[in-house]
Amino acid sequence: MDSRSDFIIRRRVERKQEEEEEHITEGRTKQKRGGRLVELMAAERMKWMHVAFVDFFINISIIGAWFVYKESSWILGALFFFLLFWFGSVATCGYIVLQFYKLSPEESLRDPIHFVLVRREKGDVVTHTRGPSVVSAKIIFAVLDCLMLGISIYAFIIDGSPFQSKVFTRCLIVALIDIYIHVVVLSIWMAYKESSWMNAFFWIVLLLGFRSITTCVYIVRELVYLSPQQSISHIIFNRNNRQVLQSSLIN
């Protein structure tokens, strides 16, 4: 009897051990599956995060190019690009506010946006620099446009619509806020450039929906209107101011 009861006790202990091992194995399996699920969800978020990063990079490249034209210093330009990369729209808005602060009362009444955009030298003389050729600028912005369009289509095919709750991480939300502040800045520029409010409204709606894709298309469109001999800085201004600047350069 003693040997039989010992056998039964041993069997019970062995069963408990087996059950505990099964529970541990199941827990590890679930943990692995959960880890893979988290990795997949993170990968989905990262694809749209990559889209936002390229969008942000194109925006700061355009703002940075304008800064280099305004200040005519590659050292200051490199410093401003550093500030743009780390502080984004904070640096952009700060610089623009500073340019408005520098306007004289007469300039503020005449055409403040034009005088904020235009480059100055000592003595308040408005000047131009040629910079890269019109053809080179067309190629650069066409390539940037294709890049942005390509990664957006890829992210949409792989992960579906960006309007999913799982996509909107804190990092992506901050990036989108920064991007849309730059969109507001570029919208004001487009409204200044377009002679018709209908045209301005059309481009601004496209800009809100497609962001830097629209910006690159718009810049290429403006470059098409320039002759190869003209400076690419002419695309910054509307047609009336462009004609005045062109005539002043000829004289």
Side-chain angles (χ1 to χ4, degrees), residues 132-148:
S133 69
V134 173
V135 175
S136 300
K138 286 179 187 176
I139 293 170
I140 290 169
F141 282 102
V143 169
L144 288 174
D145 195 35
C146 292
L147 173 65
M148 185 62 194

Side-chain angles (χ1 to χ4, degrees), residues 4-250:
R4 187 174 179 182
S5 60
D6 290 341
F7 176 75
I8 293 170
I9 292 169
R10 274 201 310 272
R11 287 298 300 163
R12 286 178 181 174
V13 170
E14 287 173 0
R15 282 178 186 174
K16 284 183 180 180
Q17 288 176 348
E18 288 174 1
E19 287 175 0
E20 286 176 1
E21 287 176 2
E22 286 177 3
H23 283 309
I24 292 169
T25 306
E26 285 177 7
R28 287 175 181 172
T29 305
K30 287 178 181 178
Q31 211 169 23
K32 286 180 182 178
R33 287 175 183 172
R36 286 173 187 171
L37 184 62
V38 169
E39 287 175 4
L40 288 171
M41 290 176 69
E44 288 178 2
R45 294 185 190 127
M46 286 303 294
K47 286 184 178 63
W48 283 112
M49 192 66 208
H50 292 158
V51 173
F53 179 77
V54 174
D55 204 336
F56 170 78
F57 177 76
I58 292 172
N59 282 336
I60 66 171
S61 298
I62 294 166
I63 300 294
W66 169 62
F67 178 88
V68 171
Y69 157 76
K70 282 273 294 179
E71 302 298 333
S72 67
S73 169
W74 289 103
I75 296 174
L76 287 175
L79 176 62
F80 188 66
F81 265 112
F82 176 81
L83 292 175
L84 276 175
F85 183 81
W86 288 107
F87 300 102
S89 57
V90 175
T92 301
C93 293
Y95 182 73
I96 292 172
V97 168
L98 180 63
Q99 298 309 303
F100 274 106
Y101 180 76
K102 288 180 179 179
L103 295 181
S104 66
E106 183 185 352
E107 290 169 344
S108 299
L109 291 172
R110 282 178 58 193
D111 193 348
I113 295 179
H114 167 72
F115 288 107
V116 164
L117 291 171
V118 77
R119 176 188 172 192
R120 297 172 180 276
E121 293 289 354
K122 292 180 180 178
D124 285 336
V125 177
V126 175
T127 61
H128 272 293
T129 52
R130 279 194 58 82
S133 69
V134 173
V135 175
S136 300
K138 286 179 187 176
I139 293 170
I140 290 169
F141 282 102
V143 169
L144 288 174
D145 195 35
C146 292
L147 173 65
M148 185 62 194
L149 184 62
I151 64 168
S152 298
I153 293 171
Y154 173 75
F156 186 81
I157 291 172
I158 300 299
D159 295 330
S161 171
F163 303 106
Q164 304 176 55
S165 58
K166 64 182 179 182
V167 174
F168 287 95
T169 61
R170 292 176 184 175
C171 189
L172 184 61
I173 290 169
V174 172
L176 286 174
I177 291 170
D178 192 278
I179 288 167
Y180 273 98
I181 290 174
H182 280 118
V183 164
V184 171
V185 172
L186 293 168
S187 297
I188 295 169
W189 173 61
M190 288 181 180
Y192 153 79
K193 280 185 61 68
E194 293 298 319
S195 56
S196 164
W197 281 106
M198 287 296 294
N199 289 343
F201 179 76
F202 170 76
W203 283 106
I204 289 170
V205 169
L206 286 181
L207 185 62
L208 290 170
F210 300 101
R211 301 186 304 276
S212 58
I213 295 174
T214 302
T215 307
C216 291
V217 170
Y218 188 82
I219 290 174
V220 171
R221 167 188 176 253
E222 292 298 302
L223 289 168
V224 168
Y225 293 143
L226 299 182
S227 65
Q229 291 75 33
Q230 287 181 300
S231 168
I232 62 169
S233 60
H234 281 79
I235 68 166
I236 299 173
F237 309 101
N238 60 25
R239 291 184 184 181
N240 293 333
N241 290 327
R242 193 184 297 174
Q243 290 170 359
V244 171
L245 290 168
Q246 188 67 25
S247 61
S248 66
L249 287 173
I250 293 171

